Amino acid sequence: IARLRDVCCFVATDGFALLHSRRTGKTAPDLSLQKRSNVLHTISTALIALYLLASAGSYLLSASTIEGVRALGFPDHFLIQLASLKIGAAVVLALPFFPPVAKEWATAGTAFFIITAIVAHAAHKDPIWLNGLNLAIAAVLAVAWATRT
């Protein structure tokens, strides 16, 4: 896990430094591995929290999403449960004062949701890009988890 974190931090921050130096002609400031990890964790966690909030909003407000979940065979009350849990997970992941164990449970719940979504979309024979999107979200979640401190 530590090696994965190191690789993620190197790729993210050194890739940024290379782009910065090519664009401006100046070198980007060198960041320590811990700072790289913190920056990568903050960005990936913010992306996951925004995804969870947007997804929860679509469960409650978007007619096409509601119909899509019904087509997958889930009951209507399941939408409210999922939306509530996603909002809760987003809050726990985004705010710094929650204990690490709460953040781990929120991350595990989000991973469980993503896995369930992949299975449901595959069973329903939905377009492959939906599962590609879910896999990309799972990758961002893995980076957020691997770079936690």
Side-chain angles (χ1 to χ4, degrees), residues 61-80:
L61 304 172
S62 171
S64 63
T65 302
I66 293 168
E67 287 303 317
V69 173
R70 285 181 186 151
L72 290 172
F74 294 108
D76 287 344
H77 63 83
F78 191 64
L79 290 167
I80 296 168

Side-chain angles (χ1 to χ4, degrees), residues 17 20-22 24-30:
H20 178 74
S21 65
R22 284 187 179 167
T24 64
K26 301 175 187 174
T27 58
D30 188 28

Side-chain angles (χ1 to χ4, degrees), residues 121-122 124-134:
H121 287 298
H124 194 253
K125 300 194 180 5
D126 285 334
I128 193 76
W129 67 266
L130 281 173
N131 276 339
L133 177 64
N134 283 321

Side-chain angles (χ1 to χ4, degrees), residues 11-88:
V11 168
T13 56
D14 286 357
F16 168 75
L18 180 64
L19 290 174
H20 178 74
S21 65
R22 284 187 179 167
R23 195 173 333 130
T24 64
K26 301 175 187 174
T27 58
D30 188 28
L31 295 174
S32 70
L33 185 59
Q34 183 62 37
K35 269 193 177 175
R36 291 178 187 186
S37 181
N38 288 345
V39 167
L40 193 55
H41 176 73
T42 301
I43 291 169
S44 57
T45 301
L47 289 173
I48 291 297
L50 289 173
Y51 160 75
L52 290 169
L53 291 173
S55 180
S58 73
Y59 283 160
L60 299 173
L61 304 172
S62 171
S64 63
T65 302
I66 293 168
E67 287 303 317
V69 173
R70 285 181 186 151
L72 290 172
F74 294 108
D76 287 344
H77 63 83
F78 191 64
L79 290 167
I80 296 168
Q81 292 171 343
L82 278 179
S84 300
L85 291 171
K86 284 183 173 193
I87 292 168

Side-chain angles (χ1 to χ4, degrees), residues 98-111:
F98 283 98
V101 70
K103 291 181 179 287
E104 288 179 10
W105 276 97
T107 302
T110 302

